[in-house]
């Protein structure tokens, strides 16, 4: 995730400024009579972006002291569901991929021309530390020793959507499709791999390499073995996104 921070800092700040321009904050007056934006901007942030966004929020808040920034970290699937159900109405939403933002856009939840990519994302293959099936590449997922593969539900997760695209492009989908289980949350997929409950999982590269808690240094996920990357020529490029 550290690789994503510089770009995410600048563009997440820009997305927040875009929210101001779109009128998400209340309007105030500067002492010299010039118009100045004031009020509150709310942002929903997926767990996989907590560390970088925490840093971006500090930079942005220093530049806009008259605007209160309220941000809530939440599971990505939960963020989309709450917005679609009308339980949350944030000014800005961040996503881990394109599918989540597509769902919001198709439901008419986004302001026109505010959707931006804030960082590249990628897919990685993980196993437990023991890696009993000896997995090294995506082709190894078709081995008889691999009984179960965890892929986040492709109806709700960009990682699941692009993982299936990759498995098909690799020519092994027909061999592995009966092995695949579809947890609702990407975090659950990672956890069952770490616990050895499945032989392998495909997840977001940032989320399987670092865990962020604001105020603490990045930490590696426990008991999780990063086998390697899913070759990027097997699925379309996608990235973390932001929109008003």
């Amino acid at each position: 995730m550290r690789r994503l921070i510089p770009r995410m800092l600048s563009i997440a700040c820009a997305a927040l400024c875009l929210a101001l321009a779109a009128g998400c904050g209340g309007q105030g007056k500067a002492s010299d009579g010039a118009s100045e934006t004031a009020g509150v901007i709310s942002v929903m942030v997926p767990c996989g972006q907590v560390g970088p966004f925490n840093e971006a929020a500090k930079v942005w808040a220093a530049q806009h002291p008259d605007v209160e920034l309220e941000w809530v970290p939440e599971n990505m699937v939960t963020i989309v569901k709450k917005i679609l159900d009308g339980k949350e109405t944030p000014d800005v939403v961040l996503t881990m991929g394109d599918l989540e933002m597509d769902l919001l856009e198709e439901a008419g939840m986004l302001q026109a021309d505010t959707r931006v990519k804030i960082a590249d994302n990628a897919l990685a293959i993980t196993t437990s530390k023991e890696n009993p099936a000896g997995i090294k590449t995506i082709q190894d997922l078709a081995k008889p020793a691999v009984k179960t593969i965890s892929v986040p539900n492709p109806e709700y997760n960009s990682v699941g959507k692009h993982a299936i695209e990759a498995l098909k492009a690799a020519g092994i989908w027909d061999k592995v499709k009966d092995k695949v289980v579809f947890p609702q949350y990407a975090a659950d997929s990672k956890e069952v791999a770490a616990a050895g409950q499945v032989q392998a999982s495909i997840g977001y590269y940032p989320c399987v390499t670092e865990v962020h808690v604001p105020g603490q240094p990045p930490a590696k996920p426990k008991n999780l073995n990063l086998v390697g990357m899913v070759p990027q020529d097997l699925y379309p490029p996608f990235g973390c996104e932001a929109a008003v």
Side-chain angles (χ1 to χ4, degrees):
M1 183 67 85
R2 277 190 288 265
R3 298 179 183 180
L4 304 184
I5 289 176
R7 178 170 170 80
M8 188 174 283
L9 282 173
S10 61
I11 305 185
C13 288
L16 290 169
C17 290
L18 189 61
L20 284 180
C24 296
Q27 292 297 315
K29 279 287 185 179
S31 57
D32 62 1
S35 178
E36 185 178 71
T37 304
V40 179
I41 289 182
S42 60
V43 187
M44 296 198 77
V45 181
C47 299
Q49 295 178 32
V50 166
F53 187 82
N54 185 53
E55 298 304 312
K58 293 175 185 176
V59 175
W60 190 87
Q63 296 172 347
H64 302 275
D66 294 324
V67 183
E68 182 181 353
L69 181 61
E70 294 181 346
W71 63 281
V72 178
E74 183 64 272
N75 178 276
M76 186 68 262
V77 173
T78 303
I79 287 176
V80 173
K81 181 173 176 53
K82 284 184 175 181
I83 295 174
L84 291 177
D85 290 346
K87 294 180 180 179
E88 295 284 354
T89 54
D91 295 313
V92 177
V93 61
L94 307 183
T95 65
M96 290 300 291
D98 52 345
L99 172 66
E100 296 86 351
M101 203 64 86
D102 287 344
L103 294 173
L104 295 174
E105 188 168 48
E106 289 165 4
M109 298 294 185
L110 306 185
Q111 197 149 317
D113 301 321
T114 64
R115 181 174 174 176
V116 294
K117 181 178 175 181
I118 61 174
D120 294 329
N121 209 336
L123 305 181
I125 302 169
T126 58
T127 68
S128 66
K129 286 292 185 182
E130 293 77 17
N131 189 10
I135 297 166
K136 296 180 180 179
T137 69
I138 191 170
Q139 295 293 336
D140 289 339
L141 299 180
K143 296 194 315 184
V146 178
K147 305 298 183 183
T148 314
I149 304 162
S150 182
V151 173
N153 192 318
E155 293 186 19
Y156 309 113
N157 296 273
S158 295
V159 60
K161 169 189 171 184
H162 295 304
I164 291 177
E165 290 171 343
L167 291 168
K168 289 180 178 179
I172 62 171
W173 175 245
D174 287 340
K175 298 177 181 178
V176 304
K177 62 183 180 181
D178 293 335
K179 304 179 181 183
V180 177
V181 294
F182 298 105
Q184 183 173 1
Y185 305 113
D188 290 344
S189 188
K190 178 175 66 175
E191 288 171 5
V192 295
Q197 295 171 352
V198 299
Q199 281 71 55
S201 174
I202 298 178
Y204 294 116
Y205 171 71
C207 298
V208 303
T209 54
E210 292 184 354
V211 175
H212 286 264
V213 176
Q216 299 180 18
K220 292 187 177 297
K222 294 182 179 179
N223 302 319
L224 196 66
N225 177 37
L226 174 61
V227 172
M229 305 299 294
V230 175
Q232 291 191 317
D233 60 352
L234 295 180
Y235 59 93
F238 74 102
C240 304
E241 298 191 16
V244 177

